[in-house]
Each structure stands twice: as structure tokens, then as C-alpha cells.
Amino acid sequence: VSARLLDGRELATRLRRELRGRLEALVGAGEDSESEDWEPDTPALAILTDADVPAAVLYAASLERAARAVGVPVRMLDGRDEPAAAIRSLNVDPQVAGIVVAQPFADAVAGRRLVEAIDPAKDVDGATPTNAGRLARGEPAFVPATALAVIAILEAYGVEVAGRRAVIVGRSAVVGRPVASLLLARDATVVVCHRATRNLARETRRAEILVAAAGVPGLVRPEMVNRSAVVIDCGITATPEGIAGDVDFAGVAPVVRAITPVPGGIGPVTPMMVLRQVIEASESGHRS
Ligand code: ADP
């Protein structure tokens, strides 16, 4: 293996420490305040899940673990129980800085309606149409955490983005599209591939930064990359052998410049991005 390994676990550990420090500073600042009505509580993260959907429950649990490690209190809510009313009350609860509706919901339409009910100022996983619109327009926005994790890894490992050709495989609302917007905002030349792309390998071979977000294990094979590519694998598909990425790691790692493993790449960084946005939501005084 000649590629540099872009280690997400190591970065997550660093981020955890950094976020804990920011949180302490934030809460400490409140304690020093002269104001009569300062809010003593640490900003909390509310997570709503459909308890009937194991994947959503697992995601919620991993987010909760990460939050506790940073020091962010978590409120878990069961989406089967008056969820719309729950969102409305979380929206106006001053102790709740962030709200995440863990997807998927058994009833996808219901899940989407709940997301749309989140106050955009508390939308710490960038799931609302308001934040998606802001991001697409290049305006400040809360952004889906997986997309932010891609940027965090590129930055942490000093990968130049400006002027580079970035190719993204996948155009989902949670990964492909927001990654495209973030890379565009950082002056990359961006190509977005999807199911109807005619010759995927021809596109991916030209990538200096290749982001795989198709949810298809092993989709990116060694003949589809070039030697100077930095490969970021956002795939997380559960298989009988464990979690599988979109990249044939054993084949691709020896022939590229750098690559994220799965597991241990984007995965551990993602919850840290939610928590960073929880802290940002409370720092910017959006708590209403
Ligand atoms: P995720 O949430 O991981 O982004 P989705 O299933 O929502 O996954 O979206 C998958 C995306 O990947 C879609 O945009 C789809 O067009 C793209 N995709 C899936 N399979 C392929 C493929 N074989 N080649 C190119 N793009 C693909």
C-alpha cells in the first residue's frame, strides 16, 4: 500500500477535545455573565428517531455516544409518539440548541415532514430545505454532517481543494449534493456523477479529489482512479462481513495518493460535525 491513510478516528479524537474546550468556554462565559437571565444549562441536542427502524436507532445511539463524550446533553425522543408536537416544543425550548431527526423513518413522508418542521436555526444536521437552499446558494448554512466530514478530512490532512478537479459519485441530498456545494464554495471544479452517468470510469479517472457517495460496495475499482487522486469514501453499507465502503479499498489503496478507510474514515468524523454545529448554534445566539 503506497497511499497515505486519512485516519478518521484520529481526527475525531482531536475534534472531540477541541469541541469539549469550545463547549466549556461557552458554558463558562455564561456563568461569568452579569445578566440576570443567563442560561446556566449546557446546550442540549434533541434526537428524534423512529424506534421501529433499527438503522435510525443505531445512528441515534452513535450520535448520543459522541455527544456525551463531548459533554453535550442529549434528549432522545421516540418519533412514534406525537412527533410533530415534540418538534414544535423543541423549537421553542431555550435549553435545546440542536434538533436531529434520525433518518430513515418507516414512513418516509412523515419523516420528511418532521424535518421540515425543525427551526432552521436549530437544524444542526442541515436537513431542512431552508438550510439546503442556503448551502446551494453559497450562503452560511447548517450542512449535512457527512458532507462536512469530507471537508474536515481534506482540511485536516492538508489536501489542496482550490482549482482542483473534484469528482463526486452520487447526488443524494444528504451527501453528494452538499459535498458538491461545499467543494464549489472552496473553488474546486466539481463534477457530479450518478446512475445515468454514461462512462463513470472516464469521469472518475480524471478526479484529483474523488468522493464516493453511492452506497454501492466496491463500486470504485482500481482502474477507475489515477495515481494522484485523493479518495474519500462515504459509503456505509451493512454487509454480512461488516460495514462496506463504496471503494474497493484493497485494490485502490495501492494506486492512489491518499484514501479514507471504511470503517475508520468519514464515519467517526460525522457525529463530530453535528456536535460542532450544536455548539455553533448556541454560540451564535440562535437559541430561540
Ligand atoms: P447516499 O445517501 O449514500 O448518498 P442514496 O441511495 O441516497 O445514497 O443515493 C445514491 C446516489 O448514488 C444516487 O445519486 C445515485 O444516482 C448514485 N449511484 C448509485 N449507484 C450508482 C452507480 N452504479 N453509478 C453511479 N452513481 C450511482
Side-chain angles (χ1 to χ4, degrees):
V1 175
S2 59
R4 173 155 186 220
L5 202 65
L6 307 177
D7 184 342
R9 287 204 182 101
E10 191 183 279
L11 175 58
T13 303
R14 222 180 320 148
L15 288 166
R16 191 178 305 125
R17 221 174 289 132
E18 188 186 305
L19 292 176
R20 202 184 295 151
R22 260 169 87 172
L23 188 66
E24 277 162 13
L26 186 72
V27 176
E31 277 162 4
D32 293 338
S33 163
E34 300 280 312
S35 151
E36 299 263 299
D37 55 0
W38 69 271
E39 177 55 69
D41 300 284
T42 310
L45 169 65
I47 308 172
L48 197 98
T49 57
D50 184 340
D52 290 329
V53 180
V57 172
L58 274 177
Y59 174 69
S62 80
L63 191 51
E64 179 178 27
R65 258 195 318 276
R68 297 215 185 284
V70 167
V72 170
V74 171
R75 267 197 235 168
M76 279 289 187
L77 294 118
D78 185 341
R80 291 174 303 190
D81 186 28
E82 292 284 338
I87 299 271
R88 280 195 299 275
S89 77
L90 294 168
N91 279 343
V92 296
D93 185 333
Q95 288 173 0
V96 172
I99 305 169
V100 170
V101 175
Q103 301 293 340
F105 261 62
D107 178 348
V109 175
R112 193 161 58 231
R113 208 169 300 132
L114 289 177
V115 165
E116 287 172 7
I118 299 171
D119 178 348
K122 296 188 177 188
D123 174 23
V124 292
D125 200 13
T128 61
T130 301
N131 278 307
R134 287 174 182 159
L135 177 65
R137 292 171 62 147
E139 296 167 5
F142 288 123
V143 176
T146 306
L148 282 179
V150 171
I151 302 298
I153 286 202
L154 292 174
E155 272 176 6
Y157 289 96
V159 178
E160 186 100 44
V161 173
R164 296 297 162 93
R165 187 177 182 89
V167 178
I168 301 159
V169 184
R171 57 177 163 185
S172 75
V174 284
V175 193
R177 278 167 208 263
V179 167
S181 294
L182 290 173
L183 289 171
L184 209 48
R186 284 159 182 76
D187 290 334
T189 299
V190 177
V191 174
V192 181
C193 304
H194 44 77
R195 276 194 188 86
T197 297
R198 239 182 307 130
N199 188 336
L200 184 62
R202 185 182 57 199
E203 304 299 335
T204 57
R205 267 198 297 268
R206 296 190 62 200
E208 295 174 284
I209 296 166
L210 179 60
V211 180
V216 180
L219 177 67
V220 176
R221 295 181 310 275
E223 65 275 16
M224 295 168 68
V225 296
N226 76 74
R227 297 204 150 270
S228 62
V230 173
V231 181
I232 310 290
D233 190 348
C234 301
I236 35 158
T237 307
T239 73
E241 292 82 47
I243 300 292
D246 286 354
V247 178
D248 165 13
F249 184 87
V252 170
V255 299
V256 293
R257 178 151 79 96
I259 187 167
T260 59
V262 175
I266 287 293
V269 181
T270 298
M272 292 301 144
M273 298 294 104
V274 175
L275 296 166
R276 192 172 81 190
Q277 294 193 113
V278 171
I279 292 170
E280 282 163 3
S282 36
E283 280 174 345
S284 59
H286 275 316
R287 294 170 69 186
S288 65

